Amino acid sequence: MKILSLLFLMILAACNTVPLPDGYRMNRYKAPVPDHVPGAQTVSIEQAVHLKDKGAVFIDVIGSGKFLTKSRNGGWISVKPHTSIPGSYWLPDVGRGALTPDQNTYLQKALAQLSSQNTQTKLIFFCLKSCWMSWNGAKRAAHMGYKSVYWLADGKDGWQEAGYPLAEIIPFSIKK
């Protein structure tokens, strides 16, 4: 049964016909993804580079996993380096299907700060290739009213494969 399920996912990915969920992807984030996000524009690596040159805000939503622990003052302590697209902002775990109230507040405040409260700010969401966390993050930002939301489906993997460097980044801390 497991082999048939995996084969079905591989066929869907090859046909690029992964169905859109009604809400957010709730589990198994590393899996074939649809070709678009409702409310967002899918961009290639080349388009993302152009948008970066124009000042777009890059948002890495990869999960924290065992990377992080929360500190007593509400910030994050990185226990393992995380590499990403240089100049991007890491908003850990906000690409999960269901956010806790704290995660939702963190996302709202971070996006407001990163966009200077301008819903027209170009926001590019990414994580890894074939990862639903960036899909969820882009959809969530569009649902929150951001008008210039982009999804870099190839993620930092595609960025690096295209010959662009990665850099170590730390989780974004909200200014109080």
Side-chain angles (χ1 to χ4, degrees):
M1 186 66 164
K2 227 178 185 180
I3 294 173
L4 287 176
S5 178
L6 182 60
L7 181 60
F8 175 72
L9 289 174
M10 290 171 57
I11 291 169
L12 281 177
C15 297
N16 208 17
T17 59
V18 176
L20 295 172
D22 291 332
Y24 299 99
R25 177 72 174 236
M26 301 302 283
N27 57 24
R28 297 189 57 197
Y29 299 116
K30 189 73 171 123
V33 292
D35 61 356
H36 72 284
V37 176
Q41 182 178 337
T42 304
V43 294
S44 67
I45 298 297
E46 294 76 24
Q47 291 168 319
V49 169
H50 177 73
L51 288 165
K52 190 175 194 317
D53 291 343
K54 298 288 184 188
V57 176
F58 277 60
I59 300 170
D60 186 338
V61 298
I62 196 161
S64 61
K66 295 182 180 179
F67 290 118
L68 309 171
T69 58
K70 201 165 189 175
S71 72
R72 290 185 182 185
N73 66 4
W76 295 95
I77 301 171
S78 180
V79 294
K80 182 176 180 185
H82 173 60
T83 58
S84 191
I85 296 172
S88 62
Y89 297 93
W90 185 15
L91 305 184
D93 298 314
V94 300
R96 297 198 178 280
L99 299 184
T100 66
D102 284 345
Q103 289 169 328
N104 193 53
T105 298
Y106 172 71
L107 175 62
Q108 289 175 358
K109 288 182 176 181
L111 291 182
Q113 187 174 326
L114 292 170
S115 69
S116 299
Q117 299 194 23
N118 178 355
T119 60
Q120 298 297 327
T121 299
K122 291 174 177 56
L123 304 173
I124 300 178
F125 287 81
F126 69 96
C127 59
L128 303 171
K129 265 188 189 177
S130 297
C131 182
W132 282 84
M133 290 186 118
S134 58
W135 189 94
N136 284 344
K139 182 175 180 180
R140 190 168 278 120
H143 182 74
M144 291 169 60
Y146 288 89
K147 308 293 184 217
S148 298
V149 178
Y150 298 88
W151 178 45
L152 180 58
D154 286 335
K156 75 171 193 170
D157 302 344
W159 182 269
Q160 188 174 34
E161 288 168 7
Y164 296 101
L166 297 179
E168 193 170 305
I169 63 171
I170 60 171
F172 181 73
S173 292
I174 298 166
K175 294 178 187 164
K176 297 184 185 207

